[in-house]
Amino acid sequence: MTIGNNHYFIADIHLGTPTRESSLEREKKILRWLQSIESNAKAVYLLGDIFDYWFEYRYVVPKGYVRLLGYLAQMADKGIEIHFFNGNHDLWTKDYFEKELGFITHTTPIIKQIDNKIFYLAHGDGLDRADKKYIFVKHVFTSPFNRFLYSLLHPYLATMIGKNLSKTSRKQHCKSDYMDRKEKEPIYMFCQNYSKTHNIDFFIMGHRHIATDMFVGSHSRYINVGQWITENHYAEWNGTELQLKTFEE
Ligand SMILES: [Mn+2]
């Protein structure tokens, strides 16, 4: 079978929240989106917070999301690259996505040439190096020893704690003013600074939950793919043009 040429970018689906029913509905919508782009797709980039909570044990993964995971695995089997970036809500992955589903996983931002353009791809959290509190919290959460301790909790208790932490973090995130500080928001400032010393054509990220397409630096663009909780945006690179789009059924 032939593979398409387009690259697709999506983030912040936050599956699992706010209710099982609404999450399932959203998951099915994502499947319809994937079906609509599949024949044109060379690669799909999942730019973080696909799951509102994910903690992977050595032999066990969280229940649910089998439609989406199965469909993505099938796409990977056909030769479409599925790139999975950890967000701040689903950072506790191990090797399940790679080994079982055939994804290409990324724990940190990547810089990648696609066709003749340079892309900076990341979830978008932690880019503000002055935010010491966040950097500390992330360090605590990702420390292998803490992760090991957490994995010793019974999954019933661990999942309850984890889901609550996720909920609190999302609430704080929505309250924080960087959601609408526009040009002062950390990701925009990061892109602005980074583009001074690096040759990047497109910065594509999530995390902010607000779909954005703006110029940064002298010739770069910052695209934020928004979220799928109440909206449904994605970005498409077709070899010559990068567009922020809305999934219309
Ligand atoms: Mn996030």
Side-chain angles (χ1 to χ4, degrees):
M1 84 162 251
T2 53
I3 297 280
N5 291 315
N6 294 0
H7 294 250
Y8 293 91
F9 308 86
I10 184 171
D12 293 273
I13 308 171
H14 287 270
L15 288 176
T17 193
T19 62
R20 208 193 86 82
E21 291 71 25
S22 66
S23 169
L24 187 58
E25 222 172 90
R26 201 166 345 123
E27 183 180 353
K28 289 179 179 172
K29 196 195 264 183
I30 294 280
L31 282 194
R32 296 195 292 278
W33 174 70
L34 285 171
Q35 282 156 0
S36 76
I37 58 135
E38 188 177 2
S39 60
N40 297 321
K42 181 172 183 184
V44 176
Y45 297 81
L46 307 165
L47 294 174
D49 287 356
I50 301 309
F51 307 103
D52 199 56
Y53 170 74
W54 181 276
F55 189 91
E56 189 175 326
Y57 299 85
R58 189 156 171 200
Y59 299 111
V60 177
V61 295
K63 246 181 174 181
Y65 326 119
V66 289
R67 291 168 183 80
L68 177 65
L69 294 177
Y71 201 86
L72 288 167
Q74 197 184 315
M75 288 172 76
D77 287 345
K78 288 178 187 166
I80 299 169
E81 291 170 29
I82 307 294
H83 292 263
F84 183 95
F85 287 69
N86 293 106
N88 52 312
H89 282 261
D90 51 13
L91 46 86
W92 301 284
T93 52
K94 276 185 181 286
D95 57 5
Y96 178 68
F97 292 140
E98 262 167 39
K99 287 201 173 144
E100 178 67 23
L101 308 175
F103 295 179
I104 301 154
T105 55
H106 307 277
T107 54
T108 53
I110 63 164
I111 296 172
K112 180 176 185 174
Q113 180 169 350
I114 302 175
D115 299 316
N116 57 346
K117 298 289 180 190
I118 311 289
F119 288 71
Y120 184 104
L121 307 172
H123 177 56
D125 61 311
L127 293 176
D128 179 6
R129 301 316 287 177
D131 189 351
K132 299 276 186 263
K133 189 177 148 205
Y134 180 79
I135 289 163
F136 175 73
V137 169
K138 187 159 180 178
H139 180 75
V140 170
F141 280 172
T142 50
S143 128
F145 183 66
N146 288 342
R147 215 182 128 151
F148 167 72
L149 289 181
Y150 186 81
S151 75
L152 298 181
L153 294 175
H154 188 278
Y156 177 78
L157 182 64
T159 306
M160 208 163 68
I161 295 171
K163 284 195 168 175
N164 267 310
L165 275 174
S166 235
K167 207 195 256 174
T168 320
S169 144
R170 207 161 6 86
K171 273 189 188 151
Q172 273 175 357
H173 181 109
C174 291
K175 260 195 288 177
S176 78
D177 52 353
Y178 83 82
M179 295 289 286
D180 52 6
R181 273 193 298 179
K182 296 190 178 74
E183 306 210 337
K184 284 201 183 112
E185 61 116 349
I187 301 179
Y188 173 80
M189 307 230 315
F190 169 83
C191 298
Q192 194 70 285
N193 278 329
Y194 200 83
S195 64
K196 284 182 193 155
T197 48
H198 299 77
N199 181 29
I200 304 288
D201 293 293
F202 304 114
F203 293 89
I204 310 183
M205 305 196 209
H207 189 56
R208 191 184 178 213
H209 287 206
I210 300 176
T212 309
D213 184 355
M214 50 168 97
F215 287 102
V216 286
S218 56
H219 74 284
S220 316
R221 255 166 79 199
Y222 157 41
I223 287 98
N224 197 296
V225 290
Q227 45 84 10
W228 277 66
I229 304 170
T230 53
E231 291 175 330
N232 33 11
H233 300 292
Y234 64 99
E236 179 190 87
W237 166 253
N238 64 10
T240 49
E241 223 188 334
L242 183 69
Q243 282 181 292
L244 181 62
K245 294 187 160 184
T246 305
F247 175 48
E248 318 262 8
E249 297 192 78

